[in-house]
Amino acid sequence: MCTSRHTSVSGRFNALMDACGLELDVALMLALAGLAAATLSASLVTGLDHAAVATSSASACLLALAAHCVANAREERSEADYWRGQAESYGRMLNDYFLVSKVDANGRFCEANENLLRRTGYSLEELAGQPLGGLSSGDLSDDYLSCMWSTVRSGQTWSGEFCDRSKDGSRIWIRAIVIPWKNARGVIECMTTIGVDVTEQRNAEMELKQAHARLQAFIKHAPAAVAMFDTNMRYVAHTDRWLQDYHLDQSSLVGLGHYDVFPEMPAHWKSKHQRILAGSTERCEEERFQRADGSENILRWEVRPWYMSDDSIGGIIMLTEEITERKKLQDKLWSLAKLDSLTGLPNRLLFNETLRDAIVAAEESGSSLGVALMDLDHFKEINDTLGHDAGDEVLKIVATRLQSVLGGAGIIARLGGDEFAVLILGHGNDDEIFTTLSELKAALAEPVNLAGTLRSCSASIGLTIFPRDATEQSDLLKNADLALYRAKSFGRGRTDVFSPDLRASLDRKVELQEHALEALQNDEFTLYFQPIIPSDATAPPSFEALLRWRHPVHGILAPGQFEEIFEDPNVAVAIGDRVMDLAIAQAAAWQAEGLLFGRVAVNVTGADFSFGSLAERLKGKLARAGVSAEKICVEVTERVFLGIGSTHVGDALNELNEAGVEIALDDFGTGYASLSHIKAYPIGRLKIDRSFVLDMQHNTDNLSIVQAIVQLGRSLGLCTTAEGVESEAHVALLRSMGCGSLQGYHFSRPAPAEDIRPFLKPRLRRGSRVA
């Protein structure tokens, strides 16, 4: 009580002194000095009164003692203030940087600092209402938490990490110590937890682990063959694909030397590795790699250095892609698209591309070019008398002879049938072109041995020269064609060179075209139909509409006999319109009779696209006739993508396809076939050219081509139709391949609509046939 009161008085006195702006010890010294002065004055006035002096002295002593006590109290107060300040500083630090809580012996919260409440989002009352372990996020196992509680309840301090969940659901990772407190009887009354928030650190660690796991998964399961090497070419890491592509039995190559794994490593690759380790990067889109066992791989590769954190080179990272099979398939498809399957020569498409490039080069160098078209004489007689196999043999012999003579002086292509095209490279002197052409003719003049019989071999040739006769690719081909036509018209085995007088032949074409317009007005054009039989016996047949000219003099003519008229776009479009009208009218008639059929296929030419309105015209005709677009198929050859009207082809075909009209690519596999067109246009059906089907039983090359086209169609989700089916053996073989439908003389020749009615079956309604 006393201490408390003295403290209170001292405090009040200090407050008074502080208010007066004086320190306590200074005030007491002043009081002592005043008392001494008063005593001295009294003694001088009253004399030496011993009692007064004694009293004053006693007062002075007491006052001095009081000043000493005050000084001691001030020193103790300063020390207390210091430790109070330290305690407050520690308290603030504890509250600002630590998460502090106290729970009772049952694990119920009873105290928590502001930092913990702020971090969890709970009030103390809400924490107190939580059950034991109520804040746990569930990320740690029950065994881990049980171990923590059993340690603390045994009286031992526990340290470690745990994960709580805040009020908003977010996780809080805490690294803490839990201290048990016992009472005098040794019973645990409460436990204090002091921890720090390590959530960001743990999240960073988890992200790092996830990133590492993803990296490991990428390295192991990446679909590319990737390997990392150190500077000594020892494996650091690799993907599973590396092991697969290189047929390696080891489960891991890490630590092994690259040259030990591949002892057949060529010297130029080892030199390459040294360049990479020096800092260069190298890549190659295609390289053939010969292995020790004799096998060959085609690789696409890239090799580059990888760097350490200090920017020094740590080794090499190598990515290789095994493209052997893909390259084989590409080569095979390229061959199908641009090479003649029988002779191995370039086809029409590749010849056109080569001619285009040669014209550009000749213009730059000032050179001349010879473009020649040639037809073998009497070739049809060989096919008719000795068979198609003999005809194929003649074509192969001719191709070999022409190639041997031509060498590097140009190229030769087979355009189809017995027609060849030759590009002769000149050097500014036309005489060289004529000399080469003479050598080609001499080589062809040698008899051909067919089955022990010598047969003569000659060709009719038409020649034109760049730039003397023309500078455009199309004009050169047209000129050569005119020259060839005249050579054939004056007899066989001739060579004719283009001259301006050949233009007169165009007059004849104009005359035919004018006659064609009259034929349209006189309704001389009609349609024949040839059935297209589906391999699925339950599906109805489709029909191809084929144009015929009922000529008043020459009788029924097929398009090949008047194809010149189609060179006039106006005439071609007019005839194309008539064909569409007749085909749709026939489809409407069959529909009205209740007859089942799939689609009616109509052939269209480049001219039909030239005015950019084919889709609108065809859809209008269908609407007026009441025929669904699903009943019509438009057949195009790849000439339409190269010739007149080609700029409108894509839009028209897309519009027709969206309306439901099927788009078929006719004569697929011949000289104009291009796989790029299948990708660029909405082709729904591939029609295999009859030249491959006719002798596929005896010609393994043609058989392979037919199989490849059928498989290509199935892979791309396209229907396939084989033309030229002339026997039951053809039918069985094509159906075994999975060809969707068949067309040919085996089923029916093209015939008028009334003659193909047996292929049309009436619909069944309520169990009865309807006519």
Side-chain angles (χ1 to χ4, degrees):
M1 293 296 293
C2 181
T3 302
S4 174
R5 187 180 63 195
H6 285 171
T7 302
S8 176
V9 172
S10 174
R12 286 195 296 272
F13 186 74
N14 284 335
L16 178 62
M17 291 300 99
D18 290 341
C20 295
L22 297 174
E23 291 290 342
L24 182 60
D25 53 348
V26 174
L28 288 176
M29 292 299 294
L30 291 175
L32 182 59
L35 180 59
T39 302
L40 180 59
S41 299
S43 63
L44 292 174
V45 173
T46 59
L48 295 174
D49 185 343
H50 295 287
V53 170
T55 301
S56 297
S57 298
S59 298
C61 290
L62 290 173
L63 191 58
L65 179 62
H68 177 72
C69 291
V70 168
N72 287 338
R74 182 176 184 278
E75 183 178 352
E76 292 176 359
R77 175 191 170 199
S78 297
E79 185 175 357
D81 287 345
Y82 169 77
W83 289 112
R84 188 180 300 111
Q86 289 291 97
E88 290 176 355
S89 176
Y90 293 147
R92 284 194 300 272
M93 181 177 66
L94 196 64
N95 197 52
D96 289 343
Y97 298 104
F98 292 88
L99 306 174
V100 183
S101 64
K102 184 167 72 173
V103 298
D104 60 21
N106 296 319
R108 300 278 182 170
F109 284 93
C110 51
E111 291 184 20
N113 71 339
E114 294 178 3
N115 194 28
L116 178 65
L117 299 178
R118 181 171 58 253
R119 185 66 182 86
T120 61
Y122 289 105
S123 65
L124 182 59
E125 290 76 15
E126 290 173 326
L127 286 179
Q130 293 287 336
L132 177 64
L135 295 188
S136 176
S137 66
D139 287 59
L140 299 175
S141 66
D142 293 340
D143 292 342
Y144 181 88
L145 297 176
S146 298
C147 179
M148 178 187 75
W149 283 111
S150 62
T151 299
V152 175
R153 284 171 174 164
S154 68
Q156 302 177 55
T157 297
W158 178 89
S159 64
E161 291 184 6
F162 55 85
C163 185
D164 284 347
R165 191 179 296 276
S166 65
K167 190 174 182 179
D168 63 8
S170 61
R171 290 177 173 80
I172 308 172
W173 283 93
I174 301 172
R175 183 176 295 125
I177 60 172
V178 182
I179 307 169
W181 296 97
K182 299 180 180 179
N183 58 20
R185 298 188 304 276
V187 177
I188 295 177
E189 290 186 341
C190 63
M191 290 163 280
T192 299
T193 301
I194 303 174
V196 292
D197 186 348
V198 294
T199 305
E200 291 186 3
Q201 178 183 343
R202 284 302 300 267
N203 288 343
E205 291 174 355
M206 291 179 66
E207 290 179 3
L208 183 61
K209 288 180 180 179
Q210 291 174 355
H212 182 71
R214 288 193 294 268
L215 179 60
Q216 289 296 107
F218 170 77
I219 291 175
K220 183 173 180 61
H221 301 296
V226 183
M228 290 181 67
F229 307 90
D230 61 18
T231 55
N232 294 316
M233 291 306 294
R234 290 191 300 267
Y235 282 88
V236 175
H238 58 80
T239 63
D240 286 354
R241 184 62 178 270
W242 183 274
L243 301 175
Q244 297 169 11
D245 280 3
Y246 292 99
H247 311 292
L248 299 172
D249 297 331
Q250 299 95 322
S251 60
S252 174
L253 304 175
V254 174
L256 299 179
H258 187 46
Y259 304 142
D260 295 328
V261 176
F262 295 101
E264 73 275 17
M265 183 70 61
H268 75 273
W269 264 97
K270 294 181 180 180
S271 299
K272 192 189 309 293
H273 297 157
Q274 295 307 310
R275 292 196 298 272
I276 307 302
L277 288 171
S280 67
T281 295
E282 298 187 21
R283 61 180 59 86
C284 179
E285 291 302 317
E286 180 181 328
E287 181 173 353
R288 296 182 182 273
F289 186 75
Q290 192 75 31
R291 303 204 176 282
D293 61 2
S295 63
E296 183 182 71
N297 292 69
I298 304 176
L299 302 178
R300 184 181 71 84
W301 56 262
E302 179 174 323
V303 188
R304 60 174 60 245
W306 59 271
Y307 294 87
M308 306 288 285
S309 58
D310 61 356
D311 290 335
S312 64
I313 293 178
I316 289 176
I317 184 167
M318 189 182 304
L319 183 150
T320 68
E321 184 180 2
E322 169 67 63
I323 61 171
T324 305
E325 293 303 319
R326 186 172 71 190
K327 183 62 178 175
K328 289 179 180 178
L329 179 60
Q330 287 176 346
D331 290 345
K332 185 173 183 179
L333 294 178
W334 186 90
S335 297
L336 283 173
K338 296 191 176 183
L339 296 181
D340 175 57
S341 59
L342 177 65
T343 63
L345 295 175
N347 61 19
R348 187 186 301 269
L349 178 61
L350 183 55
F351 180 79
N352 286 338
E353 293 176 355
T354 306
L355 175 58
R356 182 185 63 239
D357 296 339
I359 290 173
V360 174
E363 287 176 338
E364 293 176 351
S365 63
S367 301
S368 58
L369 299 173
V371 179
L373 297 179
M374 59 175 62
D375 279 354
L376 299 184
D377 297 328
H378 310 294
F379 181 74
K380 185 176 184 300
E381 295 176 8
I382 294 176
N383 278 335
D384 292 343
T385 59
L386 300 179
H388 290 286
D389 288 344
D392 289 346
E393 185 64 25
V394 169
L395 294 174
K396 293 177 183 178
I397 293 173
V398 168
T400 301
R401 290 182 181 181
L402 294 176
Q403 280 182 306
S404 63
V405 172
L406 199 58
I411 69 163
I412 179 171
R414 183 189 175 206
L415 304 185
D418 63 343
E419 184 180 5
F420 293 84
V422 182
L423 173 62
I424 304 173
L425 303 178
H427 300 284
N429 186 347
D430 294 349
D431 292 340
E432 294 183 17
I433 295 175
F434 288 109
T435 299
T436 302
L437 191 62
S438 297
E439 294 173 354
L440 292 173
K441 285 195 65 177
L444 290 177
E446 296 180 13
V448 176
N449 189 337
L450 294 176
T453 303
L454 292 178
R455 300 294 295 262
S456 63
C457 181
S458 63
S460 300
I461 303 174
L463 174 69
T464 188
I465 296 177
F466 167 93
R468 187 192 69 187
D469 300 330
T471 57
E472 296 295 328
Q473 174 180 337
S474 59
D475 291 338
L476 288 169
L477 292 172
K478 189 179 299 182
N479 290 348
D481 192 43
L482 287 172
L484 174 62
Y485 180 83
R486 188 165 69 177
K488 293 170 67 174
S489 66
F490 285 101
R492 305 292 179 175
R494 286 176 52 89
T495 298
D496 214 320
V497 181
F498 174 82
S499 60
D501 65 290
L502 283 177
R503 296 294 179 186
S505 64
L506 294 177
D507 296 338
R508 184 183 62 83
K509 295 183 180 180
V510 172
E511 183 180 354
L512 281 174
Q513 290 163 356
E514 291 176 351
H515 191 187
L517 292 175
E518 293 178 6
L520 281 169
Q521 295 173 0
N522 297 333
D523 200 24
E524 295 176 8
F525 290 104
T526 188
L527 292 182
Y528 277 29
F529 296 87
Q530 187 173 32
I532 302 172
I533 307 300
S535 294
D536 180 1
T538 63
S542 295
F543 298 89
E544 181 177 1
L546 299 167
L547 179 64
R548 294 292 184 268
W549 188 349
R550 293 180 300 196
H551 197 279
V553 176
H554 303 293
I556 300 297
L557 301 178
Q561 297 169 284
F562 54 90
E563 60 185 359
E564 297 93 343
I565 68 175
F566 293 103
E567 293 183 10
D568 184 335
N570 293 312
V571 174
V573 170
I575 294 177
D577 260 354
R578 178 61 56 86
V579 169
M580 285 188 283
D581 287 336
L582 293 173
I584 292 172
Q586 188 60 63
W590 287 336
Q591 236 176 219
E593 293 183 60
L595 299 175
L596 284 172
F597 63 97
R599 294 180 187 261
V600 175
V602 179
N603 292 280
V604 295
T605 65
D608 292 312
F609 295 95
S610 59
F611 297 105
S613 59
L614 174 64
E616 290 79 7
R617 286 187 285 126
L618 181 55
K619 290 194 295 184
K621 295 176 186 295
L622 290 171
R624 288 189 291 273
V627 175
S628 169
E630 284 75 13
K631 288 296 182 182
I632 297 296
C633 171
V634 167
E635 291 191 10
V636 296
T637 65
E638 296 198 358
R639 292 176 183 266
V640 303
F641 306 127
L642 306 174
I644 184 172
S646 59
T647 55
H648 305 293
V649 170
D651 292 339
L653 293 183
N654 283 319
E655 188 174 347
L656 290 173
N657 179 64
E658 290 174 2
V661 175
E662 184 182 64
I663 310 300
L665 188 55
D666 200 7
D667 299 336
F668 187 76
T670 57
Y672 278 93
S674 172
L675 296 175
S676 62
H677 296 144
I678 299 177
K679 182 179 179 182
Y681 300 100
I683 306 300
R685 179 178 297 276
L686 301 178
K687 297 197 73 175
I688 306 170
D689 189 73
R690 66 190 305 273
S691 62
F692 302 117
V693 176
L694 286 173
D695 65 342
M696 64 180 179
Q697 293 171 276
H698 311 292
N699 188 315
T700 56
D701 290 337
N702 282 353
L703 178 62
S704 297
I705 290 172
V706 173
Q707 289 175 323
I709 295 174
V710 171
Q711 184 59 41
L712 176 65
R714 297 178 67 180
S715 300
L716 297 177
L718 307 178
C719 301
T720 51
T721 298
E723 298 179 306
V725 179
E726 296 189 358
S727 67
E728 189 61 35
H730 285 164
V731 173
L733 188 55
L734 288 165
R735 286 179 175 170
S736 69
M737 294 179 191
C739 187
S741 56
L742 314 176
Q743 179 180 356
Y745 290 172
H746 177 70
F747 303 105
S748 172
R749 291 177 177 271
E754 56 270 17
D755 292 344
I756 51 92
R757 290 184 66 85
F759 292 92
L760 294 161
K761 303 297 182 184
R763 295 179 183 274
L764 292 176
R765 292 183 181 175
R766 298 180 181 177
S768 62
R769 292 185 180 274
V770 178

